[in-house]
Amino acid sequence: MLAACGSSGDPAGEAQNAEDFDFSCPERADGTPEADAAANESTPFVFGTPGDPSTMDPVFARDGETFRVTHQVYESLLDVDCTTPSPGLAESWEQNEDGTEWTFHLREGVVFHDGEALDGTAVCANFDRWYNFKGGYQSPNFTYYYSAAFGGFAENDPASGIESESIYEGCEADGLTATIKLSRYTSSFPGAFTLRALAIVSPKSIEAVADVAIGSAEDPLPEYTQEVGALAGTGPFTLTEWDHAGGSVTLSRNENYWGEKAGVKTLIFSTIPDETARRQALEAGDIQGYDLAAPADVQPLLDDGYQVPTRGVFNVLYMAFQQEYEPLEDHAVREALAYAVDRQRIVDSILPPGGSVATQFIPPSLEGWSEDVATYDHDTEKAKELLAEAGQEDMTLTFCYPTDVSRPYMPAPKDIFDMITSDLEAAGITVEAKPITWVDYLTSTRAGECPAYIIGWTGDYADPYNFLGNWFARESTEWGFDDPEVFDAVAAANTEPDAAKRTELWKTANELIMAELPGLPISNSPPSIAFAPNVYPPDVSPLTAEDFSQVYFTLA
């Protein structure tokens, strides 16, 4: 069986300290069984996913289901080993003393799927493309990850809501070397160079779509992003077909891949939103693996000979409070909501073993996790008292939750929503449910259309800014609050080059955030992934960034 990233020795639901979490990724203990060569050439490996991808242009991707597909086709300058940056398209890299120049030495012999060679010029073409996005492309609806890493663009469009200046100062190419220059140090790098949204596409691809524009944030993505073949990557698979109606994406082995060739010739991602239906499809042999096995299904699957490795805990589920909606701008009301929710019950009843109540907006594995944050242990009577003091005994709250999906941090959204709703109602709050399909959920919540909602985050790399910077670096419509003290604290930590000082600054930022209480962290939990007995699975990733080129059918 696979050895997961993370510790599973702690009882489910117990409060945990940072030192209780082991996020190392041990070597696999399942050996390398003999491959079934015939099956790997003739039988597609079908993997069941909880949701559809949204785009085949990685820079516009915002969710794990999209990245699951694009990660097999496009590659970034750096990869991730567990949660640590490692060689990707660049076999080595270095930075200057100030952390403002990053030089990448690219691998020789890497060829894009369209036949173009990878070199420094190709890398720079990608970074310059992103930096020069205009109009609707600048909206976080489309380039959320780029703006989180680099700030603004060459010319910020006021309609995009991006006000910060870009820290990107340019890219210089010299053969197989690319040097990226930044205006200041930030702790986000080199981690941000591992982002799957910043994967490199061929210069020919960039030229082909250079004239495609988006007028505003409300416009749909361009047609080319919904097609296969428009962009060329360097990954171990190429895109063959995207059947939107049938909910599947088919990929084929890249026979010219620079690294080890994919184990199976054909890989299919098939969307099956219901977790029970995914399990049944595996048992029927219709698929050979699926993500987010329900906690109650894990042991029965193991008993029947299936493989169910568990990922390490590198996520947080939370309930957000949008403060532009009265009465959520009242701190006492936000406190009341926090005290009303029985998070331990959610952990014990819905989440898999190894989950725990979250006390802040980063997992305990990261530097800067603080034992001194304000906590809000379940207390219905205190919630009622706070509501009374705020004059909100008859409060009505619109509460959003996603449908047609399950996420690594949120295996059963409706069940979690129902449990929180019952807690809020016990405190005297009238809840108006607002279900939103997953395909529209992120856009709706980020636009500030939900007074309260549940969502979460799986980290992309091991730095607190990848969590806190995405939410609390600046004012945003998804939270609707303006607290310069919080924003300044996040900025101070992010720009501090001394590691020890930076850790203390992140602790301060976490303490300020939990005092402000923009939302309620609910849990950190380890998601499971299931495979058929005759499959050699990929290394499981705490980032949910599995490399499916490692998969193959076995004779055993």
Side-chain angles (χ1 to χ4, degrees):
M1 298 303 297
L2 279 73
C5 174
S7 172
S8 59
D10 297 299
E14 288 190 3
Q16 301 187 44
N17 296 320
E19 59 267 21
D20 294 325
F21 281 72
D22 176 12
F23 284 80
S24 62
C25 291
E27 295 295 323
R28 295 177 65 137
D30 55 346
T32 52
E34 185 177 355
D36 185 338
N40 288 322
E41 295 304 309
S42 62
T43 304
F45 175 82
V46 185
F47 187 81
T49 65
D52 294 319
S54 61
T55 174
M56 291 301 139
D57 189 338
V59 74
F60 301 134
R62 302 177 298 166
D63 64 281
E65 297 311 321
T66 302
F67 287 130
R68 191 197 308 278
V69 177
T70 62
H71 184 52
Q72 318 308 318
V73 179
Y74 311 100
E75 298 174 302
S76 303
L77 285 174
L78 302 183
D79 202 346
V80 179
D81 181 4
C82 192
T83 59
T84 303
S86 63
L89 289 177
E91 60 185 359
S92 65
W93 70 95
E94 67 259 2
Q95 66 185 81
N96 67 355
E97 185 176 352
D98 297 330
T100 56
E101 288 189 9
W102 295 83
T103 300
F104 298 92
H105 304 284
L106 306 175
R107 298 180 187 273
E108 290 188 35
V110 178
V111 178
F112 289 97
H113 300 155
D114 60 7
E116 284 202 279
L118 172 74
D119 59 12
T121 300
V123 170
C124 289
N126 280 264
F127 280 84
D128 289 342
R129 175 203 180 202
W130 305 326
Y131 175 63
N132 287 288
F133 275 146
K134 301 182 185 304
Y137 283 132
Q138 295 187 7
S139 167
N141 287 347
F142 301 122
T143 49
Y144 188 81
Y145 277 93
Y146 177 80
S147 58
F150 289 97
F153 299 85
E155 296 181 13
N156 288 343
D157 185 335
S160 71
I162 301 293
E163 297 180 356
S164 58
E165 293 185 7
S166 175
I167 64 171
Y168 175 75
E169 288 201 328
C171 179
E172 295 181 356
D174 183 10
L176 289 176
T177 298
T179 299
I180 296 170
K181 297 183 178 182
L182 308 176
S183 62
R184 59 173 173 80
Y185 170 84
T186 162
S187 67
S188 298
F189 297 95
F193 291 122
T194 71
L195 287 173
R196 289 168 282 174
L198 302 186
I200 304 300
V201 303
S202 78
K204 189 182 296 184
S205 299
I206 294 174
E207 292 174 7
V209 301
D211 295 331
V212 181
I214 295 179
S216 71
E218 287 70 40
D219 289 349
L221 282 166
E223 288 186 9
Y224 83 84
T225 68
Q226 307 302 300
E227 304 168 349
V228 301
L231 302 180
T234 58
F237 289 96
T238 61
L239 289 164
T240 304
E241 181 184 10
W242 185 0
D243 181 354
H244 290 263
S248 67
V249 180
T250 302
L251 299 87
S252 298
R253 181 196 292 139
N254 175 13
E255 301 293 354
N256 297 314
Y257 185 55
W258 60 266
E260 187 172 347
K261 305 298 186 293
V264 294
K265 184 176 182 179
T266 305
L267 169 65
I268 299 175
F269 292 110
S270 179
T271 302
I272 308 174
D274 182 74
E275 59 187 10
T276 299
R278 291 198 297 275
R279 188 202 73 225
Q280 292 171 340
L282 178 69
E283 293 170 332
D286 297 331
I287 63 176
Q288 291 74 49
Y290 74 91
D291 204 359
L292 306 184
D297 290 338
V298 172
Q299 192 57 51
L301 285 169
L302 290 171
D303 292 342
D304 289 339
Y306 294 94
Q307 305 173 79
V308 193
T310 300
R311 299 182 179 99
V313 182
F314 201 59
N315 58 40
V316 59
L317 166 68
Y318 61 88
M319 179 182 181
F321 308 141
Q322 218 288 354
Q323 292 184 38
E324 291 180 358
Y325 290 86
E326 294 185 30
L328 293 177
E329 62 182 358
D330 188 332
H331 188 275
V333 172
R334 300 198 302 277
E335 279 192 289
L337 297 180
Y339 281 115
V341 178
D342 188 350
R343 293 174 287 171
Q344 190 68 62
R345 185 163 66 113
I346 295 172
V347 169
D348 294 341
S349 303
I350 299 176
L351 299 181
S356 62
V357 170
T359 62
Q360 50 211 278
F361 283 90
I362 65 172
S365 58
L366 288 179
E367 65 175 27
W369 188 89
S370 174
E371 296 182 353
D372 298 323
V373 296
T375 56
Y376 304 89
D377 297 333
H378 177 55
D379 189 333
T380 302
E381 293 307 312
K382 186 164 187 175
K384 290 179 179 179
E385 293 172 5
L386 287 165
L387 289 171
E389 292 172 5
Q392 294 294 336
E393 300 97 323
D394 300 319
M395 177 180 171
T396 297
L397 178 69
T398 300
F399 186 10
C400 299
Y401 68 94
T403 63
D404 304 320
V405 76
S406 53
R407 305 303 309 131
Y409 45 79
M410 186 169 53
K414 181 60 163 59
D415 294 344
I416 294 171
F417 167 83
D418 288 341
M419 198 165 283
I420 294 174
T421 295
S422 69
D423 290 339
L424 297 176
E425 290 175 342
I429 298 169
T430 299
V431 175
E432 294 182 348
K434 185 177 180 180
I436 303 175
T437 58
W438 178 248
V439 70
D440 298 318
Y441 194 70
L442 294 180
T443 299
S444 296
T445 55
R446 286 174 180 166
E449 296 173 4
C450 293
Y453 57 94
I454 48 173
I455 191 64
W457 185 265
T458 299
D460 299 289
Y461 52 89
D463 187 85
Y465 192 82
N466 184 239
F467 288 81
L468 303 184
N470 283 322
W471 303 314
F472 309 126
R474 63 192 70 83
E475 189 175 3
S476 69
T477 52
E478 61 189 306
W479 299 96
F481 78 98
D482 184 10
D483 188 333
E485 187 177 14
V486 167
F487 304 154
D488 290 347
V490 171
N494 184 42
T495 55
E496 174 53 61
D498 183 88
K501 293 179 181 178
R502 186 169 62 244
T503 295
E504 294 306 309
L505 288 170
W506 281 126
K507 289 181 179 180
T508 298
N510 276 307
E511 290 157 15
L512 287 170
I513 290 165
M514 289 310 298
E516 164 65 27
L517 199 61
L520 178 67
I522 295 173
S523 59
N524 312 112
S525 61
S528 296
I529 184 170
F531 295 93
N534 67 329
V535 167
Y536 182 79
D539 297 336
V540 292
S541 166
L543 315 180
T544 66
E546 281 77 27
D547 175 3
F548 280 81
S549 72
Q550 298 173 346
V551 171
Y552 63 85
F553 292 105
T554 69
L555 290 173

